[in-house]
Amino acid sequence: MPKWKIYTPDGVQDILFDECYIKKNIEAELRELFRRCGYFEIETPILEFFDTFTVDEESTPQESMFKFFDQQGRILVLRPDLTIPVARVAASKLKDAQYPLRISYIGNTFRYNESGGGRQKEFTQAGIELLGEVTPESDAEVISIAVNAVKTCGLNDFQIDIGHVGFFKGLMEEAGLCEQDMAQMRILIERKDFIGIEEIISKRDISSHIKKLIFNMPRLSGGIDVIDRVRKILKGPKTLEALDYLEELLKILEDYGLNDYVSIDLGMVQSLNYYTGIIFRGFTHGVGFPILSGGRYDNLIEKFGLRLPATGFSLGVNLVMNALERQQKCMDKPHVDSLIYYEKEGRKVAFEICRQLRAQGLVIQMDITMAGKERVKAYARSMGIGGIIGVLDEDLIEIHNLETNEIKRVSRSELLK
Amino acid sequence: MNYINIALPKGRLGDKAVELFEAIGIDCEEIKNSSRKLIFTDEKNMIRLFLVKPTDVPTYVEYGAADIGIAGRDTLLEEGRNLYEILNLRYGNCKMVLAGPAELKDKFDKLANKRVATKYPRIAREYFEHRRKESVEIIKLNGSVELAPLVGLSELIVDLVESGRTLKENNLVIYDVIEDISARLVVNRASMKMKSERIQWIIDELRKNIDMQIGSQY
């Protein structure tokens, strides 16, 4: 009857020793980085009301969420995202906070429709949100922390692309495209579907220089020169404002010393209802998806009742781990430094030695099989433990080097030196 | 330097793709001479080619297992993967259509419940839900879709049509053209950033080559 009892559901998985060790180390280092940057962590529930996530149907459509009911019949979801819960908290429990407010989180999120390649239905996101400021300096701070977060994880070869939703919106206005065309154009540009783009603009009455620019939008990426090139063609206030902002942002990032990691991509147009200003995504080798994404979302918190500008990013921890593996980065693995076995006469001393060695930072396992020296040795060898310690009585301690098969007798004080 | 991995569809679409890559100077000798191998390498250009089932190309490219792929527009629409559709290779031309019995052509809109047989359930569903704004019953088949209306399995079909001869022979007519279909070059989103220079070179060369070929037909 219980035929599924030894399986896990599709899209979730067990994370075992080596992988778990690496993952927790990454999380610990990210947490440390966020703290040093003055971002303090909050935890929000894994369960939320469905209503909370209806504020952004574009990036969390209802079919992407795990749903069920509470005892009163209200719809609950497993959180598909962590920015929205942060926005909810900011507008409610933190509404009297001092701004700018800096928040960080590390937690698991859940989504259907996630395809594989390292993307599971349950995945860990680590990120920050900076609330209450509209300056380019705040966006630059968030991007600089994003760069450092990726580096902290051990990835050096990566790129962060920055765009601005105001550029696309402004350009569509200048072209005079209707809402529906605009929605379709967004998808086409996002997919870099030149064929589809051409189809739409060729049918519309748009001045030729704007036509050319729209057609080339998916290709408008690179350094600061891209901005200069485009600025010569455009006249609209919205597009120019977006370009000025991006230029200022790039200059700040240059002073952060991050030139090598960031570039402009004006063809980036995801989640236009959610983001209101700059948007960015991070890519690296070995993973086909963006490992991080972020941007400015000045209208989101207002949907929870507080007008508050905000900017932030989140990093996919599982994707980063995939990248580390594919790029064959050497990562720390769990290991045991030594194993202690004892005769009854030495038990108390054995526990004391164990306590002191652990306090010195060593990883020590105690023998609990009481099956004798040979069994302990065999176990230790199979675990890759280099040496074991035998406490025969209060004064007689043997150190077995399992690599050279040498046995050394020492006193307690010699051992703990 | 990393390899550029290219996923090619087995069959007609892939054969033509090999010709295209050869024309821009990528060594495809190996792929033409061997039938058992799975991966073919051009060490000089640091390019690796592999042949996969046509409908799997978008999957390889989305996950980044392949940086570049060649797939029919029909496959791309049906798989609905998140990737860059960069270039129309302008071969493998046909149309995705809604079709049905000739006598139903003016009346099918009035059917209360429509049944649609197709090899492309996603394309059919999107077409009805988004463009016609109605719900339909989709019946997924794996071949000989034209048979369905003849034996009462469905009223309508959504299928690829090249010359239209099969439709005609079975007294079926096209009601609506859903999409023009041809072979496309697709690129993984991360690869487009991380290996941009070399991928852009391949794109530009292919584009030049196609423009030349199509131009020479006139």
Side-chain angles (χ1 to χ4, degrees):
Chain A
M1 218 195 334
K3 76 174 186 189
W4 301 111
K5 69 178 172 192
I6 63 161
Y7 303 101
T8 55
D10 274 353
V12 297
Q13 58 187 195
D14 302 313
I15 300 177
L16 303 188
F17 305 115
D18 287 4
E19 219 183 322
C20 197
Y21 196 83
I22 294 169
K23 182 162 186 273
K24 295 301 163 185
N25 280 347
I26 288 174
E27 288 172 15
E29 298 205 7
L30 287 172
R31 181 168 288 121
E32 183 60 26
L33 170 73
F34 296 160
R35 279 184 189 166
R36 288 208 193 148
C37 297
Y39 285 72
F40 296 113
E41 191 169 357
I42 66 169
E43 254 190 48
T44 57
I46 284 178
L47 287 182
E48 296 256 2
F49 282 120
F50 173 71
D51 291 2
T52 305
F53 289 92
T54 53
V55 298
D56 175 33
E57 279 176 53
E58 194 180 304
S59 47
T60 53
Q62 64 158 315
E63 59 269 28
S64 73
M65 288 187 265
F66 283 85
K67 293 184 276 308
F68 32 97
F69 302 106
D70 71 1
Q71 283 168 313
Q72 287 85 36
R74 291 173 295 195
I75 310 172
L76 304 177
V77 295
L78 294 180
R79 61 184 180 201
D81 160 81
L82 277 157
T83 300
I84 288 175
V86 169
R88 172 182 59 71
V89 171
S92 52
K93 297 187 177 139
L94 294 173
K95 66 176 184 297
D96 301 318
Q98 280 296 315
Y99 301 113
L101 179 60
R102 293 175 166 93
I103 298 175
S104 76
Y105 56 80
I106 298 175
N108 285 12
T109 50
F110 303 82
R111 274 179 202 231
Y112 284 117
N113 303 332
E114 287 287 327
S115 40
R119 295 211 294 189
Q120 294 282 315
K121 291 196 171 83
E122 177 181 19
F123 50 97
T124 308
Q125 290 195 314
I128 58 165
E129 314 293 348
L130 173 48
L131 315 175
E133 266 308 325
V134 293
T135 57
E137 282 74 11
S138 49
D139 285 320
E141 172 167 310
V142 166
I143 292 173
S144 77
I145 295 172
V147 170
N148 282 319
V150 180
K151 281 204 226 168
T152 293
C153 295
L155 293 169
N156 296 312
D157 198 359
F158 65 92
Q159 191 187 329
I160 292 184
D161 278 7
I162 309 169
H164 196 299
V165 300
F167 179 76
F168 173 76
K169 287 179 179 166
L171 190 59
M172 291 300 111
E173 267 172 34
E174 280 179 59
L177 289 184
C178 68
E179 196 99 331
Q180 206 184 348
D181 278 349
M182 201 169 131
Q184 190 166 11
M185 190 61 90
R186 188 192 75 74
I187 295 167
L188 294 171
I189 292 176
E190 174 77 5
R191 275 200 226 130
K192 298 198 192 290
D193 183 347
F194 293 98
I195 309 128
I197 295 169
E198 194 168 13
E199 227 164 76
I200 293 194
I201 55 178
S202 64
K203 282 187 233 152
R204 304 288 183 277
D205 181 28
I206 303 168
S207 69
S208 67
H209 68 281
I210 300 240
K211 246 183 200 174
K212 202 170 153 203
L213 198 59
I214 295 177
F215 184 68
N216 280 313
M217 232 181 117
R219 268 191 287 247
L220 295 176
S221 57
I224 210 154
D225 53 303
V226 176
I227 296 177
D228 293 334
R229 234 166 54 213
V230 176
R231 196 163 14 215
K232 286 190 191 116
I233 309 172
L234 285 167
K235 301 280 169 298
K238 244 192 194 173
T239 40
L240 289 177
E241 199 184 310
L243 293 177
D244 288 346
Y245 194 95
L246 279 174
E247 186 175 9
E248 179 62 22
L249 180 68
L250 273 194
K251 282 184 184 152
I252 302 170
L253 288 171
E254 195 180 328
D255 286 345
Y256 267 107
L258 299 180
N259 266 4
D260 293 346
Y261 299 103
V262 298
S263 68
I264 293 289
D265 183 353
L266 294 174
M268 223 174 10
V269 287
Q270 81 272 28
S271 303
L272 292 183
N273 294 329
Y274 187 93
Y275 291 116
T276 54
I278 63 131
I279 43 179
F280 58 94
R281 282 196 292 214
F283 295 95
T284 185
H285 289 294
V287 191
F289 310 96
I291 52 169
L292 72 85
S293 69
R296 172 165 289 283
Y297 52 98
D298 289 344
N299 298 335
L300 178 68
I301 302 174
E302 193 179 349
K303 293 180 180 160
F304 294 100
L306 181 71
R307 283 189 70 140
L308 192 65
T311 175
F313 82 92
S314 86
L315 175 80
V317 174
N318 311 72
L319 290 173
V320 165
M321 288 176 59
N322 274 320
L324 289 168
E325 196 195 323
R326 305 257 165 79
Q327 295 179 22
Q328 290 161 359
K329 299 277 182 194
C330 229
M331 305 302 286
D332 275 350
K333 301 247 166 83
H335 71 284
V336 176
D337 291 313
S338 190
L339 190 152
I340 299 175
Y341 74 95
Y342 53 85
E343 301 294 340
K344 200 163 181 197
E345 295 70 31
R347 183 163 69 195
K348 196 169 173 189
V349 175
F351 290 158
E352 175 57 21
I353 289 169
C354 172
R355 194 187 61 76
Q356 292 203 29
L357 291 178
R358 283 179 183 163
Q360 287 174 17
L362 294 174
V363 180
I364 307 292
Q365 284 185 344
M366 288 297 283
D367 173 49
I368 34 90
T369 64
M370 310 314 281
K373 186 162 71 182
E374 290 315 311
R375 286 279 298 279
V376 170
K377 271 188 183 172
Y379 170 80
R381 280 209 174 89
S382 71
M383 292 284 291
I385 300 170
I388 60 174
I389 299 166
V391 187
L392 306 180
D393 65 36
E394 277 180 47
D395 293 319
L396 192 53
I397 297 167
E398 285 181 354
I399 301 177
H400 298 256
N401 184 328
L402 296 182
E403 275 151 21
T404 61
N405 276 323
E406 276 172 326
I407 302 173
K408 212 164 84 187
R409 295 198 162 175
V410 294
S411 71
R412 200 169 128 189
S413 56
E414 280 174 314
L415 176 68
L416 293 173
K417 241 187 333 205
Chain B
M1 195 161 65
N2 291 318
Y3 282 99
I4 298 272
N5 295 308
I6 304 179
L8 298 178
K10 281 181 191 158
R12 223 162 34 142
L13 228 47
D15 297 342
K16 179 80 200 204
V18 168
E19 279 174 38
L20 270 176
F21 283 117
E22 218 169 17
I24 68 167
I26 291 166
D27 178 10
C28 300
E29 271 315 300
E30 229 187 351
I31 212 165
K32 293 199 297 191
N33 298 331
S34 169
S35 57
R36 289 278 168 80
K37 267 180 95 168
L38 294 172
I39 299 178
F40 308 91
T41 317
D42 173 351
E43 291 292 348
K44 199 179 97 234
N45 292 309
M46 288 294 280
I47 285 173
R48 253 189 329 222
L49 296 148
F50 40 89
L51 286 168
V52 301
K53 204 168 179 244
T55 47
D56 291 339
V57 169
T59 313
Y60 279 88
V61 176
E62 188 193 31
Y63 288 20
D67 301 301
I68 295 177
I70 284 181
R73 171 91 174 136
D74 52 330
T75 308
L76 295 173
L77 289 168
E78 185 59 30
E79 291 293 312
R81 299 281 173 181
N82 212 333
L83 30 78
Y84 292 145
E85 191 176 326
I86 299 278
L87 196 58
N88 186 350
L89 299 173
R90 296 202 253 170
Y91 70 90
N93 295 322
C94 47
K95 287 181 191 320
M96 184 66 70
V97 301
L98 174 70
E103 62 274 15
L104 201 64
K105 185 164 188 194
D106 305 318
K107 294 179 284 189
F108 85 97
D109 233 357
K110 301 202 174 66
L111 292 173
N113 292 302
K114 301 185 180 78
R115 295 176 301 167
V116 183
T118 183
K119 278 194 279 186
Y120 304 93
R122 186 190 177 115
I123 294 174
R125 194 171 293 285
E126 294 238 320
Y127 168 73
F128 275 95
E129 284 176 1
H130 290 121
R131 269 201 253 163
R132 301 191 77 94
K133 310 267 182 220
E134 57 183 320
S135 329
V136 287
E137 182 182 340
I138 306 280
I139 299 169
K140 160 94 172 79
L141 294 178
N142 294 302
S144 304
V145 176
E146 300 84 2
L147 185 62
L150 305 181
V151 295
L153 180 61
S154 74
E155 287 81 30
L156 307 168
I157 63 170
V158 164
D159 205 9
L160 269 187
V161 172
E162 215 177 318
S163 66
R165 211 170 58 211
T166 321
L167 286 185
K168 212 169 182 181
E169 281 172 6
N170 290 296
N171 195 27
L172 298 172
V173 296
I174 294 174
Y175 295 173
D176 193 9
V177 175
I178 299 174
E179 285 272 350
D180 287 322
I181 304 294
S182 60
R184 305 288 161 99
L185 183 86
V186 292
V187 179
N188 173 270
R189 293 185 299 156
S191 307
M192 194 73 193
K193 301 294 172 196
M194 299 307 293
K195 302 178 182 174
S196 68
E197 232 167 83
R198 291 159 68 209
I199 289 179
Q200 198 55 53
W201 178 82
I202 293 175
I203 295 168
D204 291 342
E205 289 299 307
L206 284 175
R207 195 194 312 267
K208 265 189 259 168
N209 194 274
I210 295 160
D211 286 347
M212 223 164 63
Q213 274 187 33
I214 303 285
S216 70
Q217 284 176 357
Y218 296 103

